[in-house]
Amino acid sequence: MSGVRTISTAFEEACMNSRALHFSHHFKRANGLRFHYVECGPHDAPAIVLLAGFPQSWFAWRHVMAHLARSFRVVAIDLPGQGDTDKPLSGYDTQTVAHRVHDLVVELDLGEYCLAAHDVGAWVAFPYAHLFETQIRALALLDSGIPGVTLPASLPSSSDHSWKTWHFSFHALPDLPEILLEGRERPYLEWFFREKSADPACHDTTALDEYLRIFTAPGAMRAGLAYYRALALSADQNRRLTEGHRLALPVLGLGADQGSIKDMGGSLAPFCSNAHAETIASCGHFQPEEQPEAVADALQRFFYPSVA
């Protein structure tokens, strides 16, 4: 745990100097699974829950949190298998993960909350919203195709498009990714952050070191790939959830002009009765780190427009 404390403490000090902001790290067991999550902002303020994607953790939201914490209680959760949360051997279909995350949220006793999720985090947030819709004020999904819903069953093979999605099939293979990636984790992660960002400079050495730390932790690669290996099951679950049912709560599809899905709102509209769309400019796939102020502003305007 020394790595995360060193990095997090350095970031805390920078934030505290500029905004008197404090990030607090917590571990809590929920239904037998130990979660790691990070909080900031007033404890009695309206709550916003954040979920990150592959190959990241709560750390992806750090700059967004710095903006939101002025007015909100912000809780960024490491998903099962992600960051410093436990890495169970099974249960990476997104409906199981949604139930597990909800177990933690119940323990946190947040009251009504908003939920924002990116990439694989959005895979989890979509069934989560279907299962626990009455508890959520509003939902925001960032730059992600949802399995069985907006993610095509057949991914593109042409070179001008496949660079965005080739890893789905690769990660789903048994054993081969681990064989090829062991000892080469850093250049693999660097490829994602370089190729999928509009400006790769948003991922500095500190960020790369932290993502390498969590990706090379015991069981971490297996767990990260498990979300892709469970993709077909997650897609079947989502198709069943959406049969004859559209989400009624407000849903923001937050796209990026250089990301994976520019019109997130349009892609989600057939599955939501109250869908909204916004696109972040000058931004690739990793919106919370590339354009954190724009993301925070979009979330605040959508979730709590009356909060100054």
Side-chain angles (χ1 to χ4, degrees), residues 96-182:
T96 296
V97 177
H99 279 286
R100 286 173 162 169
V101 172
H102 183 255
D103 289 338
L104 173 65
V105 172
V106 170
E107 291 289 330
L108 296 179
D109 192 24
L110 300 175
E112 186 184 55
Y113 54 93
C114 294
L115 177 62
H118 173 245
D119 190 76
V120 169
W123 292 7
V124 175
F126 185 82
Y128 187 107
H130 275 271
L131 296 167
F132 310 109
E133 183 171 4
T134 59
Q135 302 170 26
I136 306 170
R137 175 185 175 96
L139 171 69
L141 301 177
L142 283 65
D143 205 50
S144 177
I146 308 301
V149 181
T150 62
L151 185 68
S154 297
L155 297 173
S157 58
S158 59
S159 59
D160 57 337
H161 291 95
S162 62
W163 67 273
K164 293 184 178 182
T165 56
W166 67 271
H167 60 287
F168 282 66
S169 298
F170 176 63
H171 288 174
L173 290 170
D175 301 329
L176 184 61
E178 289 92 334
I179 293 170
L180 296 179
L181 295 179
E182 184 177 359

Side-chain angles (χ1 to χ4, degrees), residues 27-209:
F27 289 88
K28 183 182 286 289
R29 288 194 181 274
N31 200 16
L33 192 70
R34 185 181 63 176
F35 281 88
H36 171 250
Y37 63 97
V38 179
E39 282 200 60
C40 62
H43 198 270
D44 58 351
I48 298 176
V49 175
L50 304 173
L51 305 178
F54 179 91
Q56 299 173 289
S57 66
W58 81 271
F59 195 74
W61 291 102
R62 63 199 183 281
H63 301 308
V64 174
M65 294 170 73
H67 292 286
L68 293 177
R70 299 163 183 164
S71 304
F72 305 102
R73 178 186 180 185
V74 188
V75 181
I77 299 171
D78 282 348
L79 297 171
Q82 183 186 73
D84 291 297
T85 290
D86 281 352
K87 298 161 182 63
L89 294 175
S90 61
Y92 291 95
D93 60 278
T94 52
Q95 193 160 310
T96 296
V97 177
H99 279 286
R100 286 173 162 169
V101 172
H102 183 255
D103 289 338
L104 173 65
V105 172
V106 170
E107 291 289 330
L108 296 179
D109 192 24
L110 300 175
E112 186 184 55
Y113 54 93
C114 294
L115 177 62
H118 173 245
D119 190 76
V120 169
W123 292 7
V124 175
F126 185 82
Y128 187 107
H130 275 271
L131 296 167
F132 310 109
E133 183 171 4
T134 59
Q135 302 170 26
I136 306 170
R137 175 185 175 96
L139 171 69
L141 301 177
L142 283 65
D143 205 50
S144 177
I146 308 301
V149 181
T150 62
L151 185 68
S154 297
L155 297 173
S157 58
S158 59
S159 59
D160 57 337
H161 291 95
S162 62
W163 67 273
K164 293 184 178 182
T165 56
W166 67 271
H167 60 287
F168 282 66
S169 298
F170 176 63
H171 288 174
L173 290 170
D175 301 329
L176 184 61
E178 289 92 334
I179 293 170
L180 296 179
L181 295 179
E182 184 177 359
R184 304 175 182 87
E185 295 91 348
R186 190 180 188 98
Y188 190 65
L189 297 178
E190 288 175 340
W191 184 92
F192 278 95
F193 295 125
R194 180 181 65 251
E195 296 300 326
K196 290 178 174 285
S197 301
D199 181 359
C202 68
H203 294 102
D204 58 14
T205 300
T206 296
L208 290 171
D209 287 347

